[in-house]
Amino acid sequence: MSGGGVIYSLTVTHRAFGPAWTERVPYAIATIELDEGIRMISDLPAEDTEAAVIGCRVQVFFEHGAGVSLPRFRLARDAQQ
Amino acid sequence: MYDQAHRRRREEAALTASSIRIPDACAIVGVGHTAYTRGTDKSTLELHLEASLAALADAGLSPSDVDAVMPHDIAGVCAEDLMLNLGLSDLAYTTTVRTGGASFGSAVQSACLAVASGVAHCVLLPAGRRGYSDQRVSAGTVAAPPALASVLEFERPYGSLVAAQWFAQAAARHMYEFGTTTVQFGHIAVACRKHANLNPGALMAAKPMTLDDHAAAPMITTPFGLFDCALESDGAAAIVITTAERALDLAKPPVYIAGFGEGHGNPPTSITQKRDVTVIEGMAAAGRRAFAMAGLGPADIDCAQIYDGFTWFVLGTLEALGFCGHGEGGPFVEGGRIELGGALPVNTHGGLLSEGHVSGANHFVEAVRQLRHEVPPQRQVAGCETALVSNEGDMHEGSVVILHS
């Protein structure tokens, strides 16, 4: 898997629905359609919240911690639609 | 190989060949509800009891007449609670349908099957919650239903925690594909509020809303602002269903159940995994079944009580049921079309958005009152003879019931 995809849909959440997210609001949740056709969900890094729109290309990165390797996505640093 | 066309032909043949006459075999004979409030001392069970007794009294029946009860999926009240506290005895049939917000309409389907087959005679269907005092969806503490277990591990770590966030993405995609606007969602909110302003029992009876108010409301999760989301309220409602024959002897004019249907999306456990999130496919399937059973189409419907957990549900349901084409929901809800006096009045009580959230049971209460011509004149749909009620579940499931007087 290339780890690349496109934002299929997006919502920017302005309310913390759980204590772990209090510091993050507003944050973007994106449904990503990978180039291979599979859909995944990811929150986007804070710096991408404003610029992210449906159709933007994204790229996976892995966050390591607490014995877990979590795939997350951020806006691709090259051409954005 | 799964052949959908073949399956539909088989379904239609089974319906006509069935020895059980289903369309118009059953009637809703009683409706009742509590006040819809923000704050209550009553327990969920007490609210259920109050609504149930009101519905039975409305029918001219008593608890001893009931031989089947169908508690709601997410109410947290079991059949035994109702048996013990209402004094129900010797029940022949109890069930709890588990399709989240679609459950009430699906339970009506179960009630009709039980009554039409002769297994049960008089079914009580209550629903309600302490949605303000306890189980506030916005607090994120309401337990997720078991059906969502497989998706939660892939979504919760990313902060996708509540239904608003899933359906907001469906609405956002619809806006992207069809140019639907937040103002169009606002027309839905404003229509429901206008109707609530004519309904003294509505939680929002005294609070008008304009499109500007809708646009200025605090953002919850884009594109949903506060007024795109259903109320958090305390209350309960109930209906009573029996045979069409028995209905003629009871207190009020019968409201006949002409057709019903249930539908599920694919995959059933996630919104965002659906190939096309802009179609409420479970509702489309439910509507197809209900209209086929009733022998009716969208043009026959005088008013529609549409489950409005979010404004998006109303727009998506109108498209799914064929009141307008896919992608046309935005223009359809403009220009007063879905308001009282328009071509298709929607949620004439104010809906979950402005009357109260009792899991869509209040949509049945209102449909029945409209068909009985029992609502105050300023809210009465002129010449109302056929009504549709839709209920929507967690993952775009749907249930549809078509009623007529």
Side-chain angles (χ1 to χ4, degrees), chain B residues 2 28-29 38 43 88 140 247 250 260 263-264 268 296 306 335 337 351 398:
Chain B
Y2 182 74
I28 302 177
V29 294
R38 283 185 168 151
S43 66
L88 308 180
L250 297 178
F260 49 78
H264 295 253
L296 297 172
I306 297 179
R337 183 181 277 109

Side-chain angles (χ1 to χ4, degrees), chain B residues 48-131:
Chain B
H48 274 67
L49 299 178
E50 185 182 327
S52 296
L53 290 171
L56 288 166
D58 183 59
L61 293 168
S62 69
S64 61
D65 292 299
V66 174
D67 69 349
V69 70
M70 301 187 178
H72 191 270
D73 182 10
I74 53 181
V77 169
C78 63
E80 288 75 11
D81 290 330
L82 295 165
M83 287 183 220
L84 190 66
N85 290 281
L86 282 173
L88 308 180
S89 62
D90 196 23
L91 295 191
Y93 189 70
T94 64
T95 189
T96 293
V97 177
R98 300 206 180 278
T99 52
S103 299
F104 199 86
S106 291
V108 169
Q109 167 168 268
S110 279
C112 289
L113 295 176
V115 169
S117 69
V119 165
H121 184 71
C122 181
V123 189
L124 172 67
L125 297 92
R129 61 171 81 170
R130 284 163 51 99

